[in-house]
Amino acid sequence: MTIESDAPSSGPEGGATMRLEIARLGSQGDGVAERPDGGAVFVPFALPGERVQAVVSGERGELATIEQASPDRVAPLCRHFTRCGGCAMQHLATVPYAAWKRQLVVEAFNQRGIAADVAPLVSVGTSTRRRAALSTRATKNGIVLGFHESRGTTVVDLAECPVLTPRLAAMLPALRGLLSSLPRFEGEARVRVLEADNGYSVAIDDALAGRKADADLVSRLAIAARAIPGLVRLAIDGDVIYQSATPTIAMGRASVTPPPDVFLQAAKAAEDALARIVVEALPKKVSRVVDLFAGVGAFTFHLAERARVLALDSDAGALEALSRAARNAQGLKPIEVRHRDLFREPFSRKELEGFDAAVIDPPRAGAKAQSEMLAKSKVPLVVAVSCNPATLARDARILIDGGYRLGRVTPVDQFVFSDHVEVVAVFKREK
């Protein structure tokens, strides 16, 4: 028996205190204790091999005490850990942590009946995240700015953050001062921060309750923005109201100016690792590549060092940034940009003719319709990049059933200490 119940005691939602033997880690990083009846209890921040006391309600357990700690338990880096929902795994040592993240990918493919050759986790280290979407509230005690608490809606006011770049983390107090220049806002607003190569870009949404910023507010915010060292652009609800320079990000041989609301890979080191894996998968002789869900060109510009590239995406702002960067870049093969919603209108089998390779990097929902078109095509090589192993495995099943052979699968730890993992999978068409 793996669970022993002590005398019931009061706890969250009327739970009872129980002694649990933690058997394994779940997909979200929770310690999992097995019930004699075949069920399970999920206990956040507990590790395999530990004996713990937890307040249990249904399948959820809240860690109370650790009677026997795992040798893999380490001291967390951040004072906010266990309360802030930004991290789930600061308490696990490096080697078992990497093994757990790799296993998430293995299990996702196993569930689709695919025995994948999964490489060791590629680590980019801590303090590497160059962008973040923070939440903020205006309270009687001042501005609260941070991530939501673990499994809750309260915003944890961050005093530090070991996953952000040091300069971005050091900017938090200045951001609170900037937010204080806004009219007192009700509810919760969003703050998206980006550390570009030449400064910071900040975008604030939902703080004005749908109202447009008047001239007085724009002037006040511009003065506050100018006082923050390194802040080059400030946008409110999509409108740029202050810009001292154009924020730029190097992507291969190009320099991209991302719009305030555009998607970017969270960590520069992870983006570089993903691009390297993608390019290394190309054959020695390659002349044409299609980049599906290209965004602002994280892979496009690296691919264009080897071949002509057709880049497609539904985000017109991202494609404009890509086109502008391509016009100013030197030493690249031709890049063609095409606006297209690949969910509603996937690139067809006929359109895919003549391409030596396809690179596909869809959102978390994956790209079922586009994968079906690729499966019907004759494209020799498909390189799939995904932030969701489950939907990647689903799309991989489609490609394999269409005649592709799955090669190496490489997980990249872009979102350190979380249960998210980026993955690159290489598919070659069987001759």
Side-chain angles (χ1 to χ4, degrees), residues 60-417:
R60 305 303 306 175
E62 180 178 313
L63 184 63
T65 59
I66 301 172
E67 295 183 351
Q68 178 178 307
S70 165
D72 293 330
R73 180 173 286 277
V74 296
L77 297 178
C78 178
R79 75 184 78 175
H80 302 297
F81 182 63
T82 71
R83 184 165 178 246
C84 174
C87 293
M89 302 302 294
Q90 288 189 24
H91 59 305
L92 181 59
T94 301
V95 172
Y97 166 81
W100 168 71
K101 276 219 160 170
R102 176 185 176 276
Q103 191 62 26
L104 294 177
V105 180
V106 172
E107 291 176 358
F109 278 84
N110 283 344
Q111 288 175 5
R112 294 286 176 173
I114 304 170
D117 175 18
V118 181
L121 181 74
V122 175
S123 173
V124 300
T126 59
S127 303
T128 56
R129 190 165 172 177
R130 66 181 174 187
R131 70 163 176 86
L134 304 171
S135 296
T136 183
R137 287 183 178 273
T139 73
K140 62 181 181 180
N141 297 320
I143 295 294
V144 173
L145 177 67
F147 297 112
H148 286 124
E149 67 181 0
S150 179
R151 294 182 174 86
T153 58
T154 300
V155 179
V156 178
D157 199 27
L158 293 183
E160 61 184 356
C161 184
V163 301
L164 299 180
T165 65
R167 290 193 295 174
L168 210 54
M171 191 187 177
L172 293 174
L175 280 176
R176 291 186 181 90
L178 177 65
L179 292 164
S180 297
S181 300
L182 289 166
R184 176 70 179 272
F185 54 93
E186 300 295 330
E188 188 173 295
R190 300 285 282 172
V191 181
R192 285 174 284 118
V193 292
L194 167 68
E195 182 181 332
D197 295 341
N198 62 332
Y200 309 103
S201 174
V202 175
I204 303 171
D205 298 308
D206 304 324
L208 300 181
R211 304 188 308 272
K212 284 290 184 181
D214 58 27
D216 179 66
L217 177 57
V218 169
S219 176
R220 189 162 70 247
L221 288 170
I223 292 171
R226 196 175 295 116
I228 299 177
L231 180 61
V232 297
R233 183 176 66 190
L234 173 64
I236 304 290
D237 292 330
D239 295 327
V240 176
I241 65 170
Y242 168 80
Q243 184 163 296
S244 63
T246 303
T248 58
I249 293 178
M251 293 182 177
R253 296 177 184 174
S255 182
V256 178
T257 297
D261 57 350
V262 80
F263 169 81
L264 289 168
Q265 299 292 349
K268 175 65 174 173
E271 180 177 277
D272 291 343
L274 292 169
R276 174 182 53 78
I277 297 166
V278 168
V279 172
E280 286 178 352
L282 296 178
K284 291 183 178 180
K285 293 184 178 180
V286 56
S287 60
R288 294 185 70 203
V289 179
V290 59
D291 188 0
L292 303 163
F293 302 94
V296 294
F299 305 130
T300 305
F301 298 109
H302 294 275
L303 294 167
E305 294 181 25
R306 297 275 310 278
R308 289 179 292 146
V309 181
L310 171 61
L312 299 100
D313 202 280
S314 62
D315 189 328
L319 290 180
E320 174 56 32
L322 192 161
S323 296
R324 187 165 52 249
R327 289 193 295 269
N328 295 323
Q330 302 294 319
L332 297 180
K333 305 288 187 182
I335 296 173
E336 179 186 350
V337 173
R338 194 176 301 176
H339 183 260
R340 182 119 161 212
D341 186 338
L342 294 170
F343 290 108
R344 296 180 179 226
E345 189 186 1
F347 210 51
S348 69
R349 173 177 58 181
K350 180 69 175 175
E351 291 171 304
L352 287 164
E353 289 181 1
F355 286 96
D356 301 305
V359 175
I360 181 168
D361 181 20
R364 287 189 62 81
K368 183 175 182 291
Q370 186 59 73
S371 296
E372 289 170 348
M373 286 297 144
L374 286 166
K376 295 175 182 178
S377 77
K378 296 182 180 179
V379 178
L381 175 76
V382 175
V383 184
V385 183
S386 174
C387 60
N388 186 344
T391 55
L392 173 61
R394 178 203 65 198
D395 296 345
R397 181 76 271 169
I398 294 170
L399 292 172
I400 293 168
D401 291 345
Y404 282 93
R405 176 176 55 83
L406 175 62
R408 200 75 185 274
V409 177
T410 307
V412 177
D413 193 20
Q414 174 153 232
F415 296 94
V416 65
F417 298 138

Side-chain angles (χ1 to χ4, degrees), residues 38-63:
V41 177
F42 298 86
V43 185
F45 316 118
L47 296 176
E50 292 187 332
R51 182 184 301 115
V52 303
Q53 293 275 351
V55 180
V56 178
S57 178
E59 292 185 342
R60 305 303 306 175
E62 180 178 313
L63 184 63

